[in-house]
């Protein structure tokens, strides 16, 4: 028995040693400048993917990427709305440091001249390129240029068909064209005969081809627009999700203990023509059950459409012989509520709005170098795919944040990790408010840091739902909801906020929330005012 135990320990430590040796050898190889980066960002994608345990959603290409990656299970955005989240993870600064909670300021002028993730790679000799929605495009939030030339070597590509995204291009039951929420379409009948994400994939593949034989490493960021509303996608993807197979959210009603300030009244949904005809009362009136099922159906169909685009992009990376030379990162800016708590869209601190998928493929580390004539990323057709692929990737279950992306990708690419930011970093151009996750690539699966936490926040104009509760202007923000997610709890404190000084007043408490994740994963039972949990509240 003793001999067996000694042998068991020897094998265990040998495996760890070999794993560390592979990691160190890879870092030495990376530091010689061999690996490029393909950074893929989805829009409004929560982790409803096969690799995250959702068997009903067909996402074979993202699942295949996951099977060759480190998959991070509990990752959270710092604010559940597009521009603040993207500026946050691209600068590795939290919203209180970027001072961006809406869409109406440029952080370099409004807060500090912070170095971005692609800018850092550009300064190290990388050719940096951007396709689609990486920064939030078309406004002051990225200086009307997607932060070119600071972040990018060449101007960002934007698909020409994006101009029709919110136009009347959806055929309604009356045969007329409408600006609807639910918008499956015949692509050939669309203006220009295409869709934005189809154009994004083609443009990204063209850029990959241009880099194939060049000596410089590249950093290519590809921002897909789906599954963001409107749900405008090729109509055939709807066939993957028969309406009779759809189910309601597990908790479609507003919990009795949820503070009114925590509720988002989903105004961007209400503005769509097919929702307006339903005459849903503001702010709490529920959508008809059938329409709720249709939203879920269309969201899943849009995810499968996104998956196909990602699959085509990865297949091209492989065909060009770049898959063994390129780190691939896939994530999203935030999640999206699908009827949980009677809410739709994002705009909250709950897991459904803040939690995102994250997977990172590192050739030679997360997978062995491929054999000749063996494809790493073959395109998988969701219409002819059985979801019986066993998940072979490594699942990392520590709680993590999107601000961790900048230092993590930097370290994996062999660059020096930016230093931690001081308490006040408005005058510091390069630092990180996150932490590198590169160590997780050399630690055995299952090692969980119980003390790890993620911070999120969301602004409100008042303590009760208003027309601008989802997206208040900076001048109208009077309450800030600061939220902590640990492995055991979700804790949120809604406090007074001064938009002129950007200061939160933690003695001015509007409301509080505390949810126990083991027994209440959907965050329906607020324990904040329960005496039994007073010590937990005090800790947070």
């Amino acid at each position: 028995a003793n001999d067996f135990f000694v042998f068991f320990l020897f094998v265990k430590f040998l495996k760890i040693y070999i794993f560390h040796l592979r990691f160190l050898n890879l870092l030495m190889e990376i530091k010689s400048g061999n690996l490029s980066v393909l950074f893929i960002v989805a829009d409004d994608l929560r982790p409803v993917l096969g690799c995250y345990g959702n068997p009903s959603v067909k996402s074979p290409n993202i699942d295949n990427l996951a099977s060759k990656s480190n998959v991070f299970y509990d990752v959270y955005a710092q604010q559940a709305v597009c521009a603040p989240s993207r500026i946050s993870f691209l600068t590795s600064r939290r919203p209180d440091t970027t001072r961006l909670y809406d869409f109406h300021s440029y952080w370099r002028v409004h807060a500090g001249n912070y170095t971005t993730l692609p800018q850092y790679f550009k300064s190290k000799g990388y050719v940096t390129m951007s396709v689609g929605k990486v920064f939030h495009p078309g406004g002051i939030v990225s200086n009307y240029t997607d932060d070119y030339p600071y972040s990018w070597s060449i101007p960002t590509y934007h698909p020409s068909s994006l101009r029709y995204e919110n136009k009347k291009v959806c055929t309604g039951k009356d045969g007329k064209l409408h600006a609807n929420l639910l918008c499956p379409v015949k692509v050939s009948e669309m203006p220009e005969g295409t869709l934005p994400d189809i154009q994004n994939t083609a443009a990204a593949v063209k850029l990959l081809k241009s880099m194939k034989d060049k000596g410089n490493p590249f950093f290519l960021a590809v921002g897909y627009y789906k599954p963001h509303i409107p749900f405008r996608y090729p109509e055939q993807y709807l066939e993957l999700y028969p309406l009779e197979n759809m189910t309601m959210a597990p908790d479609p009603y507003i919990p009795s203990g949820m503070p009114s300030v925590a509720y988002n009244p989903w105004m961007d949904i209400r503005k769509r023509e097919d929702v307006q005809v339903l005459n849903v009362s503001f702010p709490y009136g529920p959508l008809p059950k059938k329409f709720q099922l249709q939203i879920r159906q269309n969201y899943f169909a849009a995810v499968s459409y996104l998956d196909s685009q990602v699959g085509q992009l990865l297949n091209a990376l492989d065909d060009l012989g770049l898959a063994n030379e390129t780190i691939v990162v896939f994530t999203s800016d935030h999640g999206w509520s699908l009827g949980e708590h009677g809410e739709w869209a994002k705009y909250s601190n709950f897991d459904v709005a803040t939690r995102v998928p994250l997977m990172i493929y590192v050739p030679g580390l997360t997978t062995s170098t491929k054999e000749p004539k063996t494809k790493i990323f073959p395109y998988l057709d969701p219409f002819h795919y059985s979801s019986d692929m066993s998940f072979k990737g490594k699942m990392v279950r520590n709680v993590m944040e999107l601000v961790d992306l900048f230092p993590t990708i930097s370290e994996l690419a062999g660059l020096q990790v930016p230093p931690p930011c001081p308490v006040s970093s408005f005058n510091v151009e390069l630092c990180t408010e996150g932490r590198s996750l590169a160590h997780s690539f050399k630690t055995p699966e299952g090692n969980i840091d119980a003390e790890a936490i993620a911070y999120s926040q969301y602004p409100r104009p008042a303590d009760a739902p208003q027309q601008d509760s989802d997206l208040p202007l900076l001048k109208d923000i009077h309450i800030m909801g600061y939220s902590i997610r640990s492995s055991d709890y979700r804790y949120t404190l809604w406090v007074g906020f001064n938009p002129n000084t950007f200061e939160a007043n933690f003695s001015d408490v509007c409301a509080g929330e505390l949810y126990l994740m083991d027994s209440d994963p959907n965050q329906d039972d607020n324990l904040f005012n329960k005496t039994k949990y007073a010590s937990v509240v005090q800790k947070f």
Side-chain angles (χ1 to χ4, degrees), residues 228-335:
H228 192 289
I229 64 170
F231 299 127
R232 188 166 75 109
Y233 58 89
E235 62 182 2
Q236 62 266 28
Y237 288 93
L238 201 61
E239 300 169 9
L240 295 171
Y241 303 97
L243 190 61
E244 59 268 22
N245 293 347
M246 292 297 101
T247 58
M248 298 279 283
D251 53 347
Y253 305 107
I254 301 169
S256 59
M258 185 175 82
S260 58
V261 69
Y263 182 79
N264 95 75
W266 32 282
M267 287 303 300
D268 55 352
I269 302 293
R270 296 172 186 273
K271 293 174 183 177
R272 309 288 164 167
E273 291 184 28
D274 51 349
V275 178
Q276 288 179 344
V277 298
L278 300 174
N279 292 318
V280 178
S281 62
F282 179 88
Y284 299 114
L287 290 166
K289 180 178 179 180
K290 181 179 179 181
F291 200 81
Q292 292 190 43
L293 295 173
Q294 287 177 312
I295 293 179
R296 293 171 68 86
Q297 175 194 37
N298 278 260
Y299 183 90
F300 297 153
V303 171
S304 291
Y305 164 54
L306 164 71
D307 178 82
S308 291
Q309 297 305 310
V310 171
Q312 292 173 48
L313 176 61
L314 293 175
N315 183 58
L317 183 80
D318 207 346
D319 285 345
L320 291 167
L322 297 172
N324 275 328
E325 305 168 7
T326 306
I327 297 170
V328 180
V329 181
F330 177 84
T331 191
S332 177
D333 53 358
H334 44 70

Side-chain angles (χ1 to χ4, degrees), residues 458-479:
Y458 209 87
R460 296 284 191 231
D463 59 2
Q466 298 185 170
Q467 296 288 329
D468 62 343
S469 286
D470 292 347
L471 283 173
L473 298 174
L474 173 61
K475 66 180 180 63
D476 297 323
I477 297 172
H478 300 297
I479 297 173

Side-chain angles (χ1 to χ4, degrees), residues 473-493:
L473 298 174
L474 173 61
K475 66 180 180 63
D476 297 323
I477 297 172
H478 300 297
I479 297 173
M480 187 69 72
Y482 290 96
S483 193
I484 296 176
R485 177 61 156 85
S486 71
S487 58
D488 298 325
Y489 297 95
R490 161 74 69 185
Y491 171 82
T492 304
L493 199 67

Side-chain angles (χ1 to χ4, degrees), residues 53-317:
N54 191 316
S56 60
V57 175
K58 294 177 172 58
S59 53
N61 295 286
I62 298 173
D63 294 347
N64 183 43
L65 171 63
S67 73
K68 299 171 175 65
S69 302
N70 265 21
V71 178
F72 299 89
Y73 188 78
D74 266 329
V75 182
Y76 298 89
Q78 277 46 79
Q79 187 177 328
V81 68
C82 300
S85 176
R86 290 165 185 265
I87 300 304
S88 175
F89 69 68
L90 287 168
T91 61
S92 196
R93 314 287 183 106
R94 304 180 188 282
D96 276 353
T97 307
T98 65
R99 292 182 167 176
L100 180 70
Y101 314 105
D102 55 20
F103 297 81
H104 304 291
S105 65
Y106 182 40
W107 79 93
R108 293 190 190 276
V109 175
H110 191 62
N113 188 27
Y114 308 144
T115 301
T116 68
L117 172 61
Q119 181 183 2
Y120 186 52
F121 274 75
K122 183 182 176 185
S123 73
K124 301 300 180 181
Y126 279 67
V127 177
T128 58
M129 304 165 288
S130 175
V131 170
K133 187 177 179 180
V134 180
F135 287 98
H136 198 278
I140 187 61
V141 72
S142 57
N143 203 31
Y144 301 95
T145 64
D146 292 80
D147 201 44
Y148 172 79
Y150 296 102
S151 290
W152 311 113
S153 302
I154 58 176
T156 293
Y157 170 84
H158 288 298
S160 57
S161 62
L162 184 63
R163 73 189 75 176
Y164 307 107
E165 192 71 354
N166 292 300
K167 303 295 184 183
K168 293 177 182 283
V169 295
C170 315
T171 303
K173 295 179 181 179
D174 57 3
K176 298 179 180 179
L177 295 178
H178 298 273
N180 284 346
L181 172 66
L182 313 181
C183 191
V185 299
K186 288 183 171 65
V187 176
S188 61
E189 296 179 359
M190 289 296 95
E192 302 184 27
T194 188
L195 293 172
D197 281 341
I198 294 174
Q199 290 185 289
N200 275 350
T201 300
V205 171
K206 185 177 180 180
L207 288 172
L208 287 176
K209 289 179 179 178
S210 74
M211 296 304 300
K212 175 175 168 50
D213 298 319
K214 292 187 178 179
N216 296 69
F218 63 83
F219 182 104
L220 173 60
V222 182
Y224 285 109
Y225 293 96
K226 293 303 157 206
H228 192 289
I229 64 170
F231 299 127
R232 188 166 75 109
Y233 58 89
E235 62 182 2
Q236 62 266 28
Y237 288 93
L238 201 61
E239 300 169 9
L240 295 171
Y241 303 97
L243 190 61
E244 59 268 22
N245 293 347
M246 292 297 101
T247 58
M248 298 279 283
D251 53 347
Y253 305 107
I254 301 169
S256 59
M258 185 175 82
S260 58
V261 69
Y263 182 79
N264 95 75
W266 32 282
M267 287 303 300
D268 55 352
I269 302 293
R270 296 172 186 273
K271 293 174 183 177
R272 309 288 164 167
E273 291 184 28
D274 51 349
V275 178
Q276 288 179 344
V277 298
L278 300 174
N279 292 318
V280 178
S281 62
F282 179 88
Y284 299 114
L287 290 166
K289 180 178 179 180
K290 181 179 179 181
F291 200 81
Q292 292 190 43
L293 295 173
Q294 287 177 312
I295 293 179
R296 293 171 68 86
Q297 175 194 37
N298 278 260
Y299 183 90
F300 297 153
V303 171
S304 291
Y305 164 54
L306 164 71
D307 178 82
S308 291
Q309 297 305 310
V310 171
Q312 292 173 48
L313 176 61
L314 293 175
N315 183 58
L317 183 80

Side-chain angles (χ1 to χ4, degrees), residues 420-464:
C421 290
V423 173
S424 178
S425 63
F426 296 109
N427 295 318
V428 181
E429 292 188 9
L430 178 64
C431 67
T432 175
E433 292 184 345
R435 59 193 178 102
S436 174
L437 310 178
H439 66 277
S440 67
F441 289 79
K442 59 177 180 177
T443 55
E445 185 171 357
N447 288 13
I448 298 177
D449 180 2
E451 299 300 316
I453 58 176
Y455 292 97
S456 301
Q457 62 187 97
Y458 209 87
R460 296 284 191 231
D463 59 2

Side-chain angles (χ1 to χ4, degrees), residues 364-430:
L365 181 59
T366 58
T367 186
S368 300
T369 303
K370 72 173 183 180
E371 297 295 326
K373 299 182 180 179
T374 301
K375 294 203 71 168
I376 297 176
F377 299 122
Y379 176 73
L380 301 173
D381 186 348
F383 293 93
H384 303 95
Y385 168 77
S386 175
S387 59
D388 58 358
M389 186 199 313
S390 58
F391 178 69
K392 300 176 183 177
K394 175 183 172 183
M395 186 68 78
V396 182
R397 296 185 178 272
N398 284 343
V399 173
M400 297 167 182
E401 308 176 278
L402 282 183
V403 288
D404 298 334
L405 280 174
F406 192 150
T408 301
I409 300 171
S410 298
E411 183 170 358
L412 290 174
L415 306 183
Q416 184 174 352
V417 177
C421 290
V423 173
S424 178
S425 63
F426 296 109
N427 295 318
V428 181
E429 292 188 9
L430 178 64

